Amino acid sequence: MLLVEDGFAPPAALDCLEDWIRVPAPEEDVQARLDALTLRREVHFPAATPAIDDDGVLRFDEKWVALAPLEARLTSVLLSRFGAVVSRETLIRALWPGRTPGRNALDVHVLRLRRRLSPLGLAIKTVRSRGYLLEASMRRAEVNGA
């Protein structure tokens, strides 16, 4: 958090964990900005990284869920690039090697997996025309007091 005096130009933010406020500023405004920065840090840099074992059990933040074999493969591919986009093509190749499933097959499995991962504080985001991204959900950060 950068405090900027009146008359000076605000800095250009280089990443989501930077912010600024003009001073003097009410304490509650400063605290609101600090809270927002804390929430962003929790979402973008979670303290724990999810892990899946050979039996298809996914663990995250002391919670776990047992996944069906196809769900486990899908999750493993998303975990290999946790916080980054995984293309639809990459996911389809991992789930159905050598086959071409129906157009909506991947979408149906992602929808079901979203429901299974939500209680763990994980979210699968759709990145339009590119693929999917697995990350810690905003709800997780709110529950943890950020």
Side-chain angles (χ1 to χ4, degrees):
M1 170 70 73
L2 183 62
L3 305 177
V4 179
E5 290 188 39
D6 200 24
F8 287 89
L14 299 177
D15 72 30
C16 69
L17 297 180
E18 294 180 3
D19 203 352
W20 63 272
I21 192 167
R22 267 198 210 288
V23 292
E27 174 129 2
E28 57 270 5
D29 288 0
V30 174
Q31 189 59 53
R33 296 239 183 168
L34 290 172
D35 291 347
L37 285 171
T38 301
L39 179 61
R40 284 185 234 153
R41 186 198 71 226
E42 285 284 323
V43 170
H44 293 286
F45 302 99
T49 302
I52 192 166
D53 65 22
D54 293 338
D55 296 317
V57 176
L58 177 66
R59 290 181 170 77
F60 185 59
D61 269 356
E62 300 182 22
K63 297 178 186 169
W64 63 273
V65 64
L67 301 173
L70 193 125
E71 290 174 331
R73 283 199 312 271
L74 176 55
T75 302
S76 291
V77 176
L78 291 168
L79 282 175
S80 71
R81 294 190 35 89
F82 187 67
V85 177
V86 180
S87 72
R88 292 179 59 84
E89 294 76 28
T90 298
L91 293 169
I92 288 170
R93 280 194 309 269
L95 296 177
W96 300 283
R99 295 184 23 219
T100 304
R103 171 74 180 120
N104 295 328
L106 178 60
D107 300 325
V108 168
H109 288 288
V110 167
L111 176 66
R112 290 178 183 155
L113 187 58
R114 278 183 173 131
R115 292 178 186 151
R116 306 262 298 150
L117 300 185
S118 179
L120 274 66
L122 294 170
I124 301 173
K125 303 284 179 81
T126 301
V127 180
R128 191 177 180 111
S129 300
R130 297 205 36 226
Y132 295 99
L133 177 146
L134 177 64
E135 66 182 4
S137 68
M138 294 293 288
R139 190 179 135 282
R140 172 185 172 263
E142 290 166 1
V143 167
N144 288 338

